[in-house]
Amino acid sequence: MSNKQRLIYSLLIALGVLAIMLGFTRLQDTGVISEKTFQYIAIAVAVLVVVLNGIMRRKVKR
């Protein structure tokens, strides 16, 4: 994986996280999920992104 590919994947992940969080915010606003559930989901998404970033960083060829 090149640095350019990593940048593209990072941007796609950021857009995906934005879409996920906006979706869950909408669900919380309508009362489908509680604030506590939203917090757990947000933490899980953040951990997933950190793990994916670490994996991508190791795959970059120098």
Side-chain angles (χ1 to χ4, degrees):
M1 173 179 292
S2 69
N3 278 323
K4 184 177 177 182
Q5 286 174 320
R6 182 175 174 227
L7 176 65
I8 291 170
Y9 285 129
S10 293
L11 290 173
L12 288 174
I13 289 170
L15 289 174
V17 168
L18 180 64
I20 289 169
M21 296 314 289
L22 287 175
F24 281 117
T25 300
R26 171 84 65 177
L27 289 176
Q28 183 189 1
D29 288 343
T30 58
V32 176
I33 61 173
S34 68
E35 185 172 348
K36 200 67 161 172
T37 304
F38 178 80
Q39 290 173 352
Y40 288 136
I41 292 168
I43 292 169
V45 168
V47 169
L48 181 66
V49 168
V50 169
V51 169
L52 284 175
N53 192 30
I55 290 170
M56 285 193 306
R57 179 174 286 176
R58 291 182 184 271
K59 300 263 183 202
V60 171
K61 293 188 173 122
R62 298 174 194 225

CSV table of all heavy atoms in Angstrom, one decimal:
chain,number,residue,atom,x,y,z
A,1,MET,N,0.9,-1.2,0.0
A,1,MET,CA,0.0,0.0,0.0
A,1,MET,C,0.9,1.2,0.0
A,1,MET,O,1.8,1.3,0.8
A,1,MET,CB,-0.9,0.0,1.2
A,1,MET,CG,-1.7,1.2,1.4
A,1,MET,SD,-2.8,1.2,2.9
A,1,MET,CE,-3.9,-0.1,2.4
A,2,SER,N,0.6,2.2,-0.9
A,2,SER,CA,1.4,3.4,-0.9
A,2,SER,C,0.7,4.5,0.0
A,2,SER,O,-0.4,4.3,0.5
A,2,SER,CB,1.4,3.9,-2.4
A,2,SER,OG,0.1,4.4,-2.8
A,3,ASN,N,1.5,5.5,0.2
A,3,ASN,CA,1.0,6.6,1.0
A,3,ASN,C,-0.3,7.2,0.4
A,3,ASN,O,-1.2,7.6,1.1
A,3,ASN,CB,2.0,7.7,1.2
A,3,ASN,CG,3.0,7.3,2.3
A,3,ASN,OD1,2.6,6.7,3.3
A,3,ASN,ND2,4.2,7.6,2.2
A,4,LYS,N,-0.3,7.3,-0.9
A,4,LYS,CA,-1.5,7.8,-1.6
A,4,LYS,C,-2.7,7.0,-1.4
A,4,LYS,O,-3.8,7.5,-1.1
A,4,LYS,CB,-1.2,7.9,-3.1
A,4,LYS,CG,-2.4,8.6,-3.9
A,4,LYS,CD,-2.0,8.7,-5.4
A,4,LYS,CE,-3.2,9.3,-6.1
A,4,LYS,NZ,-2.9,9.4,-7.6
A,5,GLN,N,-2.6,5.6,-1.5
A,5,GLN,CA,-3.7,4.7,-1.2
A,5,GLN,C,-4.1,4.9,0.3
A,5,GLN,O,-5.3,4.9,0.6
A,5,GLN,CB,-3.3,3.3,-1.4
A,5,GLN,CG,-3.1,2.9,-2.9
A,5,GLN,CD,-2.6,1.5,-3.0
A,5,GLN,OE1,-1.7,1.1,-2.3
A,5,GLN,NE2,-3.1,0.8,-4.0
A,6,ARG,N,-3.2,5.0,1.2
A,6,ARG,CA,-3.5,5.2,2.6
A,6,ARG,C,-4.3,6.5,2.8
A,6,ARG,O,-5.3,6.5,3.6
A,6,ARG,CB,-2.3,5.2,3.5
A,6,ARG,CG,-2.6,5.3,4.9
A,6,ARG,CD,-1.4,5.2,5.8
A,6,ARG,NE,-1.7,5.5,7.2
A,6,ARG,CZ,-1.1,6.3,8.0
A,6,ARG,NH1,0.0,6.9,7.5
A,6,ARG,NH2,-1.5,6.5,9.2
A,7,LEU,N,-3.9,7.5,2.1
A,7,LEU,CA,-4.7,8.8,2.2
A,7,LEU,C,-6.1,8.6,1.7
A,7,LEU,O,-7.1,9.1,2.4
A,7,LEU,CB,-3.9,9.9,1.4
A,7,LEU,CG,-4.6,11.2,1.4
A,7,LEU,CD1,-4.7,11.8,2.8
A,7,LEU,CD2,-3.9,12.2,0.4
A,8,ILE,N,-6.3,8.0,0.6
A,8,ILE,CA,-7.6,7.7,0.0
A,8,ILE,C,-8.4,6.9,1.0
A,8,ILE,O,-9.6,7.3,1.3
A,8,ILE,CB,-7.5,7.1,-1.4
A,8,ILE,CG1,-6.9,8.0,-2.4
A,8,ILE,CG2,-8.9,6.6,-1.8
A,8,ILE,CD1,-6.5,7.4,-3.7
A,9,TYR,N,-7.9,5.8,1.5
A,9,TYR,CA,-8.6,5.0,2.5
A,9,TYR,C,-9.0,5.8,3.7
A,9,TYR,O,-10.0,5.6,4.3
A,9,TYR,CB,-7.9,3.7,2.8
A,9,TYR,CG,-7.9,2.7,1.7
A,9,TYR,CD1,-6.7,2.1,1.3
A,9,TYR,CD2,-9.1,2.3,1.1
A,9,TYR,CE1,-6.7,1.2,0.2
A,9,TYR,CE2,-9.1,1.4,0.1
A,9,TYR,CZ,-7.9,0.8,-0.3
A,9,TYR,OH,-7.9,-0.1,-1.3
A,10,SER,N,-8.0,6.6,4.2
A,10,SER,CA,-8.3,7.4,5.4
A,10,SER,C,-9.5,8.4,5.2
A,10,SER,O,-10.3,8.6,6.0
A,10,SER,CB,-7.1,8.2,5.8
A,10,SER,OG,-6.0,7.3,6.2
A,11,LEU,N,-9.5,9.0,4.0
A,11,LEU,CA,-10.6,9.9,3.7
A,11,LEU,C,-11.9,9.1,3.6
A,11,LEU,O,-12.9,9.6,4.1
A,11,LEU,CB,-10.3,10.6,2.4
A,11,LEU,CG,-9.2,11.7,2.4
A,11,LEU,CD1,-8.9,12.2,1.0
A,11,LEU,CD2,-9.6,12.8,3.4
A,12,LEU,N,-11.9,8.0,3.0
A,12,LEU,CA,-13.1,7.1,2.9
A,12,LEU,C,-13.6,6.7,4.3
A,12,LEU,O,-14.8,6.7,4.6
A,12,LEU,CB,-12.9,5.9,2.1
A,12,LEU,CG,-12.8,6.2,0.6
A,12,LEU,CD1,-12.4,4.9,-0.2
A,12,LEU,CD2,-14.1,6.8,0.0
A,13,ILE,N,-12.7,6.4,5.2
A,13,ILE,CA,-13.0,6.0,6.6
A,13,ILE,C,-13.6,7.2,7.3
A,13,ILE,O,-14.6,7.0,8.0
A,13,ILE,CB,-11.8,5.4,7.3
A,13,ILE,CG1,-11.4,4.0,6.7
A,13,ILE,CG2,-12.0,5.3,8.8
A,13,ILE,CD1,-10.1,3.5,7.2
A,14,ALA,N,-13.0,8.4,7.1
A,14,ALA,CA,-13.5,9.6,7.8
A,14,ALA,C,-14.9,9.9,7.3
A,14,ALA,O,-15.8,10.2,8.1
A,14,ALA,CB,-12.6,10.8,7.5
A,15,LEU,N,-15.2,9.8,6.0
A,15,LEU,CA,-16.5,10.0,5.5
A,15,LEU,C,-17.5,8.9,6.0
A,15,LEU,O,-18.7,9.2,6.3
A,15,LEU,CB,-16.5,10.0,4.0
A,15,LEU,CG,-15.9,11.2,3.3
A,15,LEU,CD1,-15.8,11.0,1.8
A,15,LEU,CD2,-16.6,12.5,3.7
A,16,GLY,N,-17.1,7.7,6.1
A,16,GLY,CA,-17.9,6.6,6.7
A,16,GLY,C,-18.2,6.9,8.1
A,16,GLY,O,-19.4,6.7,8.5
A,17,VAL,N,-17.3,7.3,8.9
A,17,VAL,CA,-17.5,7.6,10.3
A,17,VAL,C,-18.5,8.7,10.4
A,17,VAL,O,-19.4,8.7,11.3
A,17,VAL,CB,-16.2,7.9,11.0
A,17,VAL,CG1,-16.4,8.5,12.4
A,17,VAL,CG2,-15.3,6.6,11.2
A,18,LEU,N,-18.3,9.8,9.6
A,18,LEU,CA,-19.2,10.9,9.6
A,18,LEU,C,-20.7,10.5,9.3
A,18,LEU,O,-21.6,10.8,10.1
A,18,LEU,CB,-18.8,12.0,8.6
A,18,LEU,CG,-19.7,13.2,8.5
A,18,LEU,CD1,-19.6,14.0,9.9
A,18,LEU,CD2,-19.2,14.1,7.4
A,19,ALA,N,-20.8,9.6,8.3
A,19,ALA,CA,-22.2,9.1,8.0
A,19,ALA,C,-22.8,8.3,9.1
A,19,ALA,O,-23.9,8.4,9.4
A,19,ALA,CB,-22.1,8.3,6.7
A,20,ILE,N,-21.9,7.4,9.7
A,20,ILE,CA,-22.4,6.6,10.8
A,20,ILE,C,-22.9,7.4,12.0
A,20,ILE,O,-23.9,7.2,12.5
A,20,ILE,CB,-21.3,5.6,11.2
A,20,ILE,CG1,-21.1,4.5,10.1
A,20,ILE,CG2,-21.6,4.9,12.5
A,20,ILE,CD1,-19.9,3.7,10.3
A,21,MET,N,-22.0,8.4,12.3
A,21,MET,CA,-22.4,9.2,13.5
A,21,MET,C,-23.6,10.1,13.3
A,21,MET,O,-24.4,10.2,14.2
A,21,MET,CB,-21.2,10.0,13.9
A,21,MET,CG,-20.0,9.2,14.4
A,21,MET,SD,-20.3,7.8,15.5
A,21,MET,CE,-20.7,8.8,17.0
A,22,LEU,N,-23.7,10.6,12.0
A,22,LEU,CA,-24.9,11.4,11.7
A,22,LEU,C,-26.2,10.5,11.8
A,22,LEU,O,-27.2,10.9,12.3
A,22,LEU,CB,-24.8,12.1,10.4
A,22,LEU,CG,-23.8,13.2,10.3
A,22,LEU,CD1,-23.7,13.7,8.9
A,22,LEU,CD2,-24.3,14.4,11.2
A,23,GLY,N,-26.0,9.3,11.3
A,23,GLY,CA,-27.2,8.4,11.3
A,23,GLY,C,-27.6,8.0,12.7
A,23,GLY,O,-28.8,8.0,13.1
A,24,PHE,N,-26.6,7.7,13.6
A,24,PHE,CA,-26.9,7.4,15.0
A,24,PHE,C,-27.4,8.6,15.8
A,24,PHE,O,-28.2,8.5,16.7
A,24,PHE,CB,-25.7,6.7,15.7
A,24,PHE,CG,-25.6,5.3,15.3
A,24,PHE,CD1,-24.5,4.8,14.6
A,24,PHE,CD2,-26.6,4.4,15.6
A,24,PHE,CE1,-24.4,3.5,14.3
A,24,PHE,CE2,-26.5,3.0,15.3
A,24,PHE,CZ,-25.4,2.6,14.6
A,25,THR,N,-26.9,9.8,15.4
A,25,THR,CA,-27.4,11.0,16.0
A,25,THR,C,-28.9,11.2,15.7
A,25,THR,O,-29.7,11.6,16.5
A,25,THR,CB,-26.6,12.3,15.5
A,25,THR,OG1,-25.3,12.1,15.9
A,25,THR,CG2,-27.2,13.5,16.1
A,26,ARG,N,-29.3,10.9,14.4
A,26,ARG,CA,-30.7,11.0,14.0
A,26,ARG,C,-31.5,10.0,14.8
A,26,ARG,O,-32.6,10.3,15.3
A,26,ARG,CB,-30.8,10.7,12.5
A,26,ARG,CG,-32.2,10.6,12.0
A,26,ARG,CD,-32.8,11.8,11.7
A,26,ARG,NE,-32.2,12.5,10.6
A,26,ARG,CZ,-32.6,13.6,10.1
A,26,ARG,NH1,-33.7,14.2,10.6
A,26,ARG,NH2,-32.0,14.2,9.1
A,27,LEU,N,-31.0,8.8,15.0
A,27,LEU,CA,-31.7,7.8,15.8
A,27,LEU,C,-31.9,8.2,17.2
A,27,LEU,O,-32.9,8.0,17.8
A,27,LEU,CB,-31.0,6.4,15.7
A,27,LEU,CG,-31.0,5.7,14.4
A,27,LEU,CD1,-30.2,4.4,14.4
A,27,LEU,CD2,-32.5,5.4,14.0
A,28,GLN,N,-30.8,8.8,17.8
A,28,GLN,CA,-30.9,9.3,19.2
A,28,GLN,C,-32.0,10.4,19.3
A,28,GLN,O,-32.7,10.5,20.2
A,28,GLN,CB,-29.6,9.8,19.7
A,28,GLN,CG,-29.6,10.2,21.1
A,28,GLN,CD,-28.3,10.9,21.5
A,28,GLN,OE1,-27.4,11.0,20.7
A,28,GLN,NE2,-28.3,11.3,22.8
A,29,ASP,N,-32.0,11.3,18.3
A,29,ASP,CA,-32.9,12.4,18.3
A,29,ASP,C,-34.4,12.0,18.3
A,29,ASP,O,-35.2,12.6,18.9
A,29,ASP,CB,-32.6,13.4,17.2
A,29,ASP,CG,-31.3,14.2,17.5
A,29,ASP,OD1,-30.9,14.2,18.6
A,29,ASP,OD2,-30.8,14.8,16.5
A,30,THR,N,-34.6,10.9,17.5
A,30,THR,CA,-36.0,10.4,17.4
A,30,THR,C,-36.3,9.4,18.5
A,30,THR,O,-37.5,9.0,18.6
A,30,THR,CB,-36.1,9.7,16.1
A,30,THR,OG1,-35.2,8.6,16.0
A,30,THR,CG2,-36.0,10.6,14.9
A,31,GLY,N,-35.4,9.1,19.4
A,31,GLY,CA,-35.7,8.3,20.6
A,31,GLY,C,-35.5,6.8,20.4
A,31,GLY,O,-35.9,6.0,21.2
A,32,VAL,N,-35.0,6.4,19.2
A,32,VAL,CA,-34.8,5.0,19.0
A,32,VAL,C,-33.7,4.4,19.8
A,32,VAL,O,-33.9,3.3,20.3
A,32,VAL,CB,-34.5,4.8,17.5
A,32,VAL,CG1,-34.2,3.3,17.2
A,32,VAL,CG2,-35.6,5.3,16.6
A,33,ILE,N,-32.6,5.1,20.0
A,33,ILE,CA,-31.6,4.7,20.9
A,33,ILE,C,-31.3,5.7,22.0
A,33,ILE,O,-31.6,6.9,21.8
A,33,ILE,CB,-30.2,4.4,20.2
A,33,ILE,CG1,-29.7,5.7,19.5
A,33,ILE,CG2,-30.4,3.3,19.2
A,33,ILE,CD1,-28.3,5.5,18.9
A,34,SER,N,-30.8,5.2,23.2
A,34,SER,CA,-30.6,6.2,24.3
A,34,SER,C,-29.2,6.8,24.1
A,34,SER,O,-28.4,6.4,23.3
A,34,SER,CB,-30.7,5.4,25.6
A,34,SER,OG,-29.5,4.5,25.7
A,35,GLU,N,-29.0,7.8,24.9
A,35,GLU,CA,-27.7,8.5,24.9
A,35,GLU,C,-26.6,7.6,25.3
A,35,GLU,O,-25.5,7.7,24.7
A,35,GLU,CB,-27.8,9.8,25.8
A,35,GLU,CG,-26.5,10.6,25.7
A,35,GLU,CD,-26.6,11.9,26.4
A,35,GLU,OE1,-27.7,12.3,26.9
A,35,GLU,OE2,-25.5,12.5,26.6
A,36,LYS,N,-26.8,6.7,26.3
A,36,LYS,CA,-25.8,5.8,26.7
A,36,LYS,C,-25.4,4.8,25.6
A,36,LYS,O,-24.2,4.6,25.4
A,36,LYS,CB,-26.3,5.0,27.9
A,36,LYS,CG,-25.2,4.4,28.7
A,36,LYS,CD,-24.4,5.5,29.4
A,36,LYS,CE,-23.7,4.9,30.6
A,36,LYS,NZ,-22.7,5.9,31.1
A,37,THR,N,-26.4,4.4,24.9
A,37,THR,CA,-26.1,3.5,23.7
A,37,THR,C,-25.3,4.2,22.7
A,37,THR,O,-24.4,3.7,22.1
A,37,THR,CB,-27.5,3.0,23.1
A,37,THR,OG1,-28.2,2.3,24.2
A,37,THR,CG2,-27.2,2.0,22.0
A,38,PHE,N,-25.7,5.5,22.4
A,38,PHE,CA,-25.0,6.3,21.4
A,38,PHE,C,-23.5,6.4,21.9
A,38,PHE,O,-22.6,6.3,21.0
A,38,PHE,CB,-25.7,7.6,21.3
A,38,PHE,CG,-24.9,8.6,20.3
A,38,PHE,CD1,-25.1,8.4,19.0
A,38,PHE,CD2,-24.1,9.5,20.8
A,38,PHE,CE1,-24.5,9.3,18.1
A,38,PHE,CE2,-23.4,10.4,20.0
A,38,PHE,CZ,-23.6,10.2,18.6
A,39,GLN,N,-23.3,6.6,23.1
A,39,GLN,CA,-21.9,6.8,23.6
A,39,GLN,C,-21.1,5.5,23.4
A,39,GLN,O,-20.0,5.5,23.0
A,39,GLN,CB,-21.9,7.1,25.1
A,39,GLN,CG,-22.4,8.6,25.4
A,39,GLN,CD,-22.5,8.8,26.9
A,39,GLN,OE1,-22.4,7.9,27.7
A,39,GLN,NE2,-22.8,10.1,27.2
A,40,TYR,N,-21.7,4.3,23.7
A,40,TYR,CA,-21.0,3.1,23.5
A,40,TYR,C,-20.7,2.9,22.0
A,40,TYR,O,-19.6,2.4,21.6
A,40,TYR,CB,-21.9,1.9,24.0
A,40,TYR,CG,-21.9,1.8,25.5
A,40,TYR,CD1,-23.1,1.6,26.2
A,40,TYR,CD2,-20.8,2.0,26.3
A,40,TYR,CE1,-23.2,1.5,27.6
A,40,TYR,CE2,-20.8,1.9,27.7
A,40,TYR,CZ,-22.0,1.7,28.3
A,40,TYR,OH,-22.0,1.6,29.7
A,41,ILE,N,-21.7,3.2,21.1
A,41,ILE,CA,-21.4,3.1,19.7
A,41,ILE,C,-20.3,4.0,19.2
A,41,ILE,O,-19.4,3.6,18.5
A,41,ILE,CB,-22.7,3.4,18.9
A,41,ILE,CG1,-23.8,2.3,19.2
A,41,ILE,CG2,-22.5,3.5,17.4
A,41,ILE,CD1,-25.2,2.6,18.7
A,42,ALA,N,-20.3,5.2,19.7
A,42,ALA,CA,-19.3,6.2,19.4
A,42,ALA,C,-17.9,5.7,19.8
A,42,ALA,O,-16.9,5.8,19.1
A,42,ALA,CB,-19.6,7.6,20.0
A,43,ILE,N,-17.8,5.1,21.0
A,43,ILE,CA,-16.5,4.6,21.5
A,43,ILE,C,-16.1,3.4,20.6
A,43,ILE,O,-14.9,3.3,20.2
A,43,ILE,CB,-16.6,4.2,23.0
A,43,ILE,CG1,-16.8,5.4,23.8
A,43,ILE,CG2,-15.4,3.4,23.4
A,43,ILE,CD1,-17.2,5.1,25.3
A,44,ALA,N,-17.0,2.5,20.3
A,44,ALA,CA,-16.7,1.4,19.4
A,44,ALA,C,-16.2,1.8,18.0
A,44,ALA,O,-15.2,1.3,17.5
A,44,ALA,CB,-17.9,0.5,19.3
A,45,VAL,N,-16.9,2.8,17.5
A,45,VAL,CA,-16.5,3.3,16.2
A,45,VAL,C,-15.1,3.9,16.2
A,45,VAL,O,-14.2,3.7,15.4
A,45,VAL,CB,-17.5,4.3,15.6
A,45,VAL,CG1,-16.9,5.1,14.4
A,45,VAL,CG2,-18.8,3.6,15.3
A,46,ALA,N,-14.8,4.7,17.3
A,46,ALA,CA,-13.5,5.3,17.5
A,46,ALA,C,-12.4,4.3,17.6
A,46,ALA,O,-11.3,4.4,17.0
A,46,ALA,CB,-13.5,6.2,18.7
A,47,VAL,N,-12.6,3.2,18.4
A,47,VAL,CA,-11.6,2.1,18.5
A,47,VAL,C,-11.4,1.4,17.2
A,47,VAL,O,-10.3,1.1,16.8
A,47,VAL,CB,-12.1,1.1,19.6
A,47,VAL,CG1,-11.3,-0.1,19.6
A,47,VAL,CG2,-12.1,1.8,21.0
A,48,LEU,N,-12.5,1.2,16.5
A,48,LEU,CA,-12.3,0.5,15.1
A,48,LEU,C,-11.5,1.4,14.2
A,48,LEU,O,-10.6,0.9,13.5
A,48,LEU,CB,-13.7,0.3,14.5
A,48,LEU,CG,-13.8,-0.4,13.2
A,48,LEU,CD1,-13.3,-1.8,13.3
A,48,LEU,CD2,-15.2,-0.4,12.6
A,49,VAL,N,-11.7,2.7,14.2
A,49,VAL,CA,-10.9,3.6,13.3
A,49,VAL,C,-9.4,3.6,13.7
A,49,VAL,O,-8.6,3.5,12.9
A,49,VAL,CB,-11.5,5.0,13.3
A,49,VAL,CG1,-10.6,6.0,12.7
A,49,VAL,CG2,-12.8,5.0,12.7
A,50,VAL,N,-9.2,3.6,15.0
A,50,VAL,CA,-7.8,3.5,15.5
A,50,VAL,C,-7.1,2.2,15.0
A,50,VAL,O,-6.0,2.2,14.6
A,50,VAL,CB,-7.7,3.7,17.0
A,50,VAL,CG1,-6.3,3.4,17.5
A,50,VAL,CG2,-8.1,5.1,17.4
A,51,VAL,N,-7.8,1.1,15.2
A,51,VAL,CA,-7.2,-0.2,14.8
A,51,VAL,C,-7.0,-0.2,13.3
A,51,VAL,O,-5.9,-0.6,12.8
A,51,VAL,CB,-8.2,-1.3,15.2
A,51,VAL,CG1,-7.8,-2.6,14.6
A,51,VAL,CG2,-8.2,-1.4,16.7
A,52,LEU,N,-8.0,0.3,12.5
A,52,LEU,CA,-7.8,0.3,11.0
A,52,LEU,C,-6.7,1.2,10.6
A,52,LEU,O,-5.9,0.8,9.7
A,52,LEU,CB,-9.1,0.8,10.3
A,52,LEU,CG,-10.2,-0.2,10.3
A,52,LEU,CD1,-11.5,0.5,9.7
A,52,LEU,CD2,-9.9,-1.4,9.4
A,53,ASN,N,-6.5,2.3,11.3
A,53,ASN,CA,-5.4,3.2,11.0
A,53,ASN,C,-4.0,2.5,11.3
A,53,ASN,O,-3.1,2.7,10.5
A,53,ASN,CB,-5.5,4.5,11.7
A,53,ASN,CG,-4.6,5.6,11.2
A,53,ASN,OD1,-4.2,5.6,10.1
A,53,ASN,ND2,-4.2,6.4,12.1
A,54,GLY,N,-4.0,1.8,12.4
A,54,GLY,CA,-2.7,1.1,12.7
A,54,GLY,C,-2.4,0.0,11.7
A,54,GLY,O,-1.2,-0.1,11.3
A,55,ILE,N,-3.4,-0.7,11.2
A,55,ILE,CA,-3.2,-1.7,10.2
A,55,ILE,C,-2.7,-1.1,8.9
A,55,ILE,O,-1.8,-1.6,8.3
A,55,ILE,CB,-4.5,-2.5,10.0
A,55,ILE,CG1,-4.8,-3.4,11.3
A,55,ILE,CG2,-4.4,-3.4,8.8
A,55,ILE,CD1,-6.2,-4.0,11.2
A,56,MET,N,-3.3,0.0,8.5
A,56,MET,CA,-2.9,0.7,7.3
A,56,MET,C,-1.5,1.2,7.4
A,56,MET,O,-0.7,1.2,6.5
A,56,MET,CB,-3.9,1.8,6.9
A,56,MET,CG,-5.2,1.3,6.4
A,56,MET,SD,-6.2,2.6,5.6
A,56,MET,CE,-6.3,3.8,6.8
A,57,ARG,N,-1.2,1.7,8.6
A,57,ARG,CA,0.2,2.3,8.8
A,57,ARG,C,1.2,1.2,8.6
A,57,ARG,O,2.3,1.4,8.0
A,57,ARG,CB,0.3,2.9,10.1
A,57,ARG,CG,1.7,3.5,10.4
A,57,ARG,CD,1.7,4.2,11.7
A,57,ARG,NE,1.0,5.5,11.5
A,57,ARG,CZ,0.8,6.3,12.5
A,57,ARG,NH1,1.2,6.0,13.7
A,57,ARG,NH2,0.1,7.4,12.3
A,58,ARG,N,0.9,0.0,9.1
A,58,ARG,CA,1.9,-1.1,9.0
A,58,ARG,C,2.0,-1.6,7.5
A,58,ARG,O,3.0,-2.2,7.1
A,58,ARG,CB,1.5,-2.3,9.9
A,58,ARG,CG,1.7,-2.0,11.3
A,58,ARG,CD,1.3,-3.2,12.2
A,58,ARG,NE,1.4,-2.9,13.6
A,58,ARG,CZ,2.5,-3.0,14.3
A,58,ARG,NH1,3.6,-3.4,13.8
A,58,ARG,NH2,2.4,-2.7,15.6
A,59,LYS,N,0.9,-1.4,6.7
A,59,LYS,CA,0.9,-1.9,5.4
A,59,LYS,C,1.6,-1.0,4.4
A,59,LYS,O,1.9,-1.3,3.2
A,59,LYS,CB,-0.5,-2.1,4.9
A,59,LYS,CG,-1.3,-3.1,5.7
A,59,LYS,CD,-1.3,-4.5,5.1
A,59,LYS,CE,-2.1,-5.4,5.9
A,59,LYS,NZ,-1.7,-6.8,5.6
A,60,VAL,N,1.9,0.3,4.8
A,60,VAL,CA,2.6,1.2,3.9
A,60,VAL,C,4.0,0.8,3.6
A,60,VAL,O,4.8,0.5,4.5
A,60,VAL,CB,2.6,2.6,4.5
A,60,VAL,CG1,3.4,3.6,3.6
A,60,VAL,CG2,1.1,3.2,4.6
A,61,LYS,N,4.3,0.7,2.3
A,61,LYS,CA,5.6,0.3,1.9
A,61,LYS,C,6.5,1.6,1.7
A,61,LYS,O,6.1,2.5,1.1
A,61,LYS,CB,5.6,-0.5,0.6
A,61,LYS,CG,4.9,-1.8,0.8
A,61,LYS,CD,5.1,-2.6,-0.5
A,61,LYS,CE,4.5,-4.0,-0.2
A,61,LYS,NZ,3.5,-4.4,-1.0
A,62,ARG,N,7.7,1.5,2.3
A,62,ARG,CA,8.5,2.7,2.2
A,62,ARG,C,9.5,2.6,1.1
A,62,ARG,O,9.9,1.7,0.7
A,62,ARG,CB,9.2,2.9,3.6
A,62,ARG,CG,8.2,3.1,4.7
A,62,ARG,CD,8.9,3.2,6.0
A,62,ARG,NE,7.9,3.0,7.0
A,62,ARG,CZ,7.8,3.7,8.1
A,62,ARG,NH1,8.7,4.6,8.3
A,62,ARG,NH2,6.8,3.6,8.9
